[in-house]
Amino acid sequence: MDKINVDHMLAIEEPFIKAPLEQLKRTVRQSQRQVERETAQVSAVLKTLAKGGDGVATEDMAETLNGLVGRLKALRENLEEAKQEEALLIQRSKQRAADLHELSEFESSTHPEFQRWCRARLDRVLIDYMLRSGNVVTAHKLAATGGLEHFADYSLFSLVMSTERELCEQHSCHGALQWCAENRSALRKIQSPLEFELRLQEFIEMIRVSRTPEAIVYAKKHLTQWSDTQLPRIQRAMTLLAFSPDTRCPPYKSMFDETRWEQLALEFRSVIFQLFNLPAQPLLHLLLQTGLSALKTPACISDDSTEHNRNCPVCQIETLGRLAKDLPLSHHVHSNLVCRITGERMNEDNPPMRLPNGYVYSFNALTEMAKLGGRVKCPRTGDAFAITDAKKLFIS
Ligand SMILES: [Zn+2]
């Protein structure tokens, strides 16, 4: 009973270990591409200089060579920064792997060290939830208090938030497009149309401010290359040139709609999470849903609120009940009698008591109610009775 199922626990922890590894992979690839690009350009310039031979003035040659030295110095600085970032990500991966490895050493779930591990996991799950919701300062404080900085993916979430802000508040696709350019091959692999959507938005904004000739040039350069997969949408975009932003024509009205910026932000978040193997939902929700699914009964989803149990989290329809909305009902082999007033189980220590009107409540609920004047009131019918009229029932 107390044995820990390590495999089940690891299955839900996949994003925790994969996120820094994915970041590391991308950082290494970006540095590699930068080195290839810069060295190719430097060698091309050197080759031209060598070919020019004596025809090139010494001052010009010195200036070009100085330029090249400057470029290589900048490259070295960038690579040093990348190296630090890579070292940090490697260290994080090791720390996370060591944390999960601890699981195999706990013999039972009652082991105090396992309880400590669970407490730290709850904290890192809360940090993930806070970072996703934009509560960065609180997340930092919690991480600092528990010494859990290496469990928080700050740089990833700060990139998500700054790009979302740029899209929603400044109505600019600049940062998001730059990110798409850096991750083009990965986006192609998952067939994401994010870059097309961003380009389309820039095109729409040009039409909105009547920069039509510029919009046509932009479409030729950036939209037509998507014709293999997005032809109908490109055609619709070109038709948009004939409409003004105050149009009421449905498909074109929605293209001018400013809520498109929020959709782009959501799309960006969903794509970046997909690339870094992070679930769309916070891990906190997934863990809570696991517990809620074991508690959900037909009474929890009844439209009659008197059927709901005040101690049942699934019955709290405005809070945890929302998370349980799409979960299946749990499978119960044994029935439990639960008091409608207190939400407590009725058993031999807290027996069911029948009132003269036929309704049954727990002994504890009725005796608590009878403390004031010895009478009890049925919450369903409003009838009042003397506590002595309640009859004890026996479960057989
Ligand atoms: Zn319930």
Side-chain angles (χ1 to χ4, degrees), residues 295-301 307-316:
L295 298 172
K296 191 171 173 179
T297 65
C300 302
I301 52 170
E307 291 277 318
H308 296 165
N309 181 338
R310 55 192 274 188
N311 286 348
C312 167
V314 185
C315 286
Q316 315 304 315

Side-chain angles (χ1 to χ4, degrees), residues 126-144:
L126 289 172
I127 292 169
D128 168 79
Y129 178 78
M130 288 179 209
L131 287 174
R132 282 169 185 256
S133 345
N135 299 309
V136 184
V137 179
T138 322
H140 268 287
K141 277 188 184 162
L142 181 56

